Amino acid sequence: MELFIFLIIGALAGFAAGLFGVGGGTIIVPLLFIVFTQMDFPADNVMHLALGTSLATIIITSISSLMAHHKKGGVMWPVFKNLAPGLVLGCFFGAGIAGQISGLYLQLIVGVFLLWVAYKMFFGGKKQVGKDFNDANNNVMQLPSKPKQLAAGGVIGIASAIFGIGGGSLTVPYLTRYNVVMQKAVGTSAACGLPIAIAGALGFMFFGMQQEVNVPNTIGFVHVYAFLGISIMSFFTAKIGAKVAHMLSPQLLKKCFSVLLFVVGLYFLYKGVV
């Protein structure tokens, strides 16, 4: 039954990863939080296990998603190269920071963050989406300098580890802020999810092993069976989500993305307060 539940979570998370470029974490973290709570895992470890396992599964999800977006020409590889070093360093050490924060505070932090991003994305959708990555003369004009992109990657990496959501909730708004069209932002975000997931998963395993996690079938803050079940299913459904993303309008995609984040944010605030 547990494996079946993990497979269902993987199917939903994979589709969300391909559709929104969020690595599926916005689906995985709250659902794993519910499942791990029902499995009577220690309350102090539930949120950390949900975050660490989420990042581990995003390794597989992001590979499938970025391959699909790459075929559609949706990944801006020069931007990815600028962001990646900061993403890796930030996410690894962000896992260490998350390990020092109580589960209750993590729930509240994640909830507030998602509501803020949802608000910015929903109302930002009324504005013109902007030009593509390259203008008519094939010149890159929208994004900041390489050092600033590197710094942004570090911030996104730290936040991604704390939120366990693959970075899409920050990477997508960051890129669309500079007038990158939504499909390009989603595709590049999907690619950025890979270094985030690898560094974050290793960080949660490493820092989790420094603490006593009294839960079977875990490596640090990563649940092995949940990782396997979610990864297997999400690999296939991420491709479906990516195809759907390129069929929708940028405005509609933004609206759907913001509604998803809003619902998940409210859930975490509710669980943190009640």
Side-chain angles (χ1 to χ4, degrees):
M1 177 59 72
E2 291 177 5
L3 181 58
F4 180 70
I5 293 174
F6 294 143
L7 288 173
I8 293 177
I9 295 175
L12 295 173
F15 183 78
L19 184 62
F20 301 119
V22 296
T26 49
I27 299 293
I28 297 172
V29 172
L31 291 182
L32 282 182
F33 178 84
I34 295 173
V35 172
F36 289 161
T37 300
Q38 295 301 314
M39 293 172 67
D40 294 324
F41 286 179
D44 292 339
N45 298 143
V46 168
M47 193 63 183
H48 298 87
L49 283 166
L51 294 172
T53 305
S54 171
L55 285 166
T57 62
I58 291 171
I59 296 175
I60 307 300
T61 306
S62 62
I63 292 175
S64 175
S65 182
L66 78 86
M67 288 173 61
H69 282 288
H70 175 65
K71 290 181 180 179
K72 297 286 186 178
V75 180
M76 301 182 296
W77 291 111
V79 177
F80 169 81
K81 293 177 181 179
N82 293 336
L83 293 173
L87 294 172
V88 170
L89 293 175
C91 200
F92 182 82
F93 290 107
I97 296 173
Q100 302 301 315
I101 303 176
S102 71
L104 175 61
Y105 286 132
L106 275 177
Q107 293 174 47
L108 295 175
I109 291 171
V110 171
V112 171
F113 166 75
L114 291 180
L115 288 179
W116 176 78
V117 173
Y119 172 82
K120 298 290 286 185
M121 289 290 289
F122 189 87
F123 290 101
K126 295 181 179 179
K127 302 176 183 179
Q128 184 178 355
V129 176
K131 301 178 182 179
D132 206 337
F133 178 54
N134 295 332
D135 64 10
N137 297 318
N138 205 37
N139 295 317
V140 179
M141 301 180 64
Q142 309 295 341
L143 294 168
S145 63
K146 289 184 180 180
K148 289 183 178 180
Q149 290 184 49
L150 178 64
V155 174
I156 293 172
I158 293 173
S160 298
I162 295 176
F163 304 140
I165 49 180
S169 300
L170 276 175
T171 307
V172 172
Y174 171 74
L175 294 176
T176 55
R177 176 185 178 186
Y178 295 101
N179 288 334
V180 176
V181 294
M182 188 63 179
Q183 277 81 355
K184 292 279 189 178
V186 169
T188 305
S189 173
C192 289
L194 183 58
I196 287 175
I198 294 174
L202 290 175
F204 271 99
M205 283 190 277
F206 175 78
F207 293 110
M209 287 188 290
Q210 310 305 309
Q211 305 182 28
E212 294 185 4
V213 181
N214 188 25
V215 177
N217 305 315
T218 59
I219 302 175
F221 287 129
V222 175
H223 192 281
V224 177
Y225 289 165
F227 161 72
L228 293 175
I230 295 173
S231 299
I232 290 171
M233 187 61 72
S234 64
F235 181 82
F236 298 102
T237 56
K239 296 179 181 179
I240 300 175
K243 291 181 180 179
V244 174
H246 287 270
M247 294 168 56
L248 300 176
S249 70
Q251 297 286 3
L252 179 60
L253 202 53
K254 267 189 159 185
K255 299 293 185 183
C256 294
F257 184 51
S258 62
V259 170
L260 173 66
L261 296 182
F262 182 77
V263 172
V264 177
L266 284 180
Y267 169 79
F268 275 118
L269 287 182
Y270 172 78
K271 295 299 293 185
V273 173
V274 175

